Amino acid sequence: MRRVIIVIGILCLALSLGLWLRLRQLNAYKAAPAGGTGTVEGTEINITARLAARITAVHVREGDEVKAGQLLVELDCADPLAVLAEARARLAVAESNVQGAQASVMAARGSTTAARRAAFAAEAERRAASIDRANVVKEADRLAALHRTGAITASQLDQIETQKNGSEQRIEAIAANHAAAVARTAAAQGSQLAAAAQVEAARSNVAAAAAGVQRAEVNAAECRLVAPRAAVVQTRAYEPGEAVLPGATLLTLIDLTEVKATFFLPNAELAAAAVGRQVAVRADAYPGTVFRGAIRAVSAKAEFTPRNVQTREDRDRLVYGVEIQVPNPERKLRPGMPVEVTIAGTARSGEGAR
């Protein structure tokens, strides 16, 4: 009987010890910072072709580090370059046409000015001739009265009548010249308007030609593909001599200067996640090293939702994705590397979340 009591006591002691260890483990888990595990990802950049062309050179290989603006791939672009040369020639012709049209406007303005001056001169001459005719008419009337009294001879009267007829004919000629000058002015103004319209049309052609040059320059620039940012060549999909179509990915670059990872928080720990909050990141490949980062985004929707959310256990099964950014200047963290993430200043129980 004593032996049974001892065995029962040992079992109770063992159960108590096991329960204490379990409670201690649960308390330690609850007091630990909120967090989870994730996988490192870099920022991928695809270098794609916008033209259908043949590759003439690929200047990088997988694993090479490249700088922003570095030449990566060259394409055979004889046709786009020819189109560019043609567009530039059209632009030069259009600009020359503008200059010619502007010269026509200047000539038309000169003709208009000359015609107006001629019309003004004819009008002035007509007014002077009208004054002279009025004087001649007066003199003719006076001499006619004298002739009736026998004071002058008939030849003298005929002479003044001749002057009177001559002045009338002169006025008619001057009037005709004035009308012709006015007509020339109107014609010159019409030519000026037509020349101005030609200038506008020529300028429109210049704008269209300039747009064609710009479009051709954009296409020609796609013959030399450069790195948009500093990165590492991850994949090289084509080799020199191969033909590519628009949209084909020639290279894939990956930027490791700043990496990201996504881990999942249960519903009970979601209060610990806030955009901008600092996190500690640990990787198995670097024991004892802590990388510092920050929360970039928190998913607005749960990744897993039970059919009926009724109990606390069911609610705790909801998890939300949390994305973090981690500066990686030494490029120690690499894509695919598993990491452990903890949120600074938090506890899973919620008591430490601030």
Side-chain angles (χ1 to χ4, degrees), residues 18-291:
L19 181 61
W20 178 79
L21 291 175
R22 178 59 178 166
L23 290 174
R24 182 180 179 182
Q25 183 180 6
L26 289 175
N27 290 332
Y29 175 81
K30 291 180 179 180
T37 59
T39 303
V40 173
E41 300 177 30
T43 302
E44 292 188 355
I45 308 104
N46 292 325
I47 306 300
T48 58
R50 290 184 57 189
L51 305 174
R54 190 174 300 277
I55 300 174
T56 58
V58 181
H59 297 286
V60 292
R61 296 188 176 278
E62 293 180 358
D64 288 352
E65 294 187 4
V66 298
K67 299 178 180 179
Q70 180 177 336
L71 179 62
L72 303 177
V73 181
E74 292 184 80
L75 302 177
D76 180 10
C77 289
D79 184 61
L81 292 176
V83 172
L84 175 59
E86 181 181 359
R88 286 174 175 169
R90 288 179 178 175
L91 177 59
V93 171
E95 291 174 342
S96 177
N97 290 339
V98 169
Q99 294 177 355
Q102 288 175 337
S104 298
V105 169
M106 295 301 295
R109 286 177 180 173
S111 298
T112 301
T113 301
R116 283 176 178 171
R117 289 176 178 175
F120 290 153
E123 176 63 19
E125 187 177 4
R126 186 188 65 79
R127 286 196 297 267
S130 297
I131 294 173
D132 290 342
R133 179 181 178 279
N135 293 331
V136 170
V137 169
K138 288 181 180 180
E139 183 65 16
D141 292 342
R142 187 180 67 83
L143 293 178
L146 293 175
H147 180 265
R148 285 193 296 271
T149 61
I152 62 172
T153 63
S155 62
Q156 290 176 322
L157 181 61
D158 292 340
Q159 185 178 1
I160 195 65
E161 287 293 335
T162 301
Q163 290 179 1
K164 179 180 176 181
N165 294 334
S167 63
E168 291 176 351
Q169 293 175 358
R170 180 187 173 197
I171 288 175
E172 292 176 356
I174 292 174
N177 290 337
H178 178 265
V182 170
R184 287 195 299 270
T185 300
Q189 289 176 337
S191 298
Q192 183 176 339
L193 292 175
Q198 290 177 355
V199 169
E200 293 302 320
R203 286 175 177 168
S204 299
N205 291 336
V206 167
V213 169
Q214 185 176 6
R215 184 169 55 253
E217 287 176 342
V218 170
N219 289 335
E222 292 297 324
C223 300
R224 293 168 58 86
L225 305 181
V226 299
R229 61 199 292 184
V232 177
V233 180
Q234 185 176 33
T235 58
R236 169 173 160 165
Y238 290 87
E239 297 297 327
E242 292 186 273
V244 294
L245 295 175
T249 300
L250 310 183
L251 299 170
T252 299
L253 309 182
I254 186 165
D255 184 2
L256 298 178
T257 56
E258 187 175 63
V259 296
K260 62 182 180 179
T262 301
F263 66 97
F264 296 92
L265 277 179
N267 184 66
E269 301 176 24
L270 186 61
V275 175
R277 198 159 203 172
Q278 298 298 305
V279 297
V281 181
R282 295 173 176 83
D284 295 339
Y286 305 103
T289 302
V290 178
F291 301 90

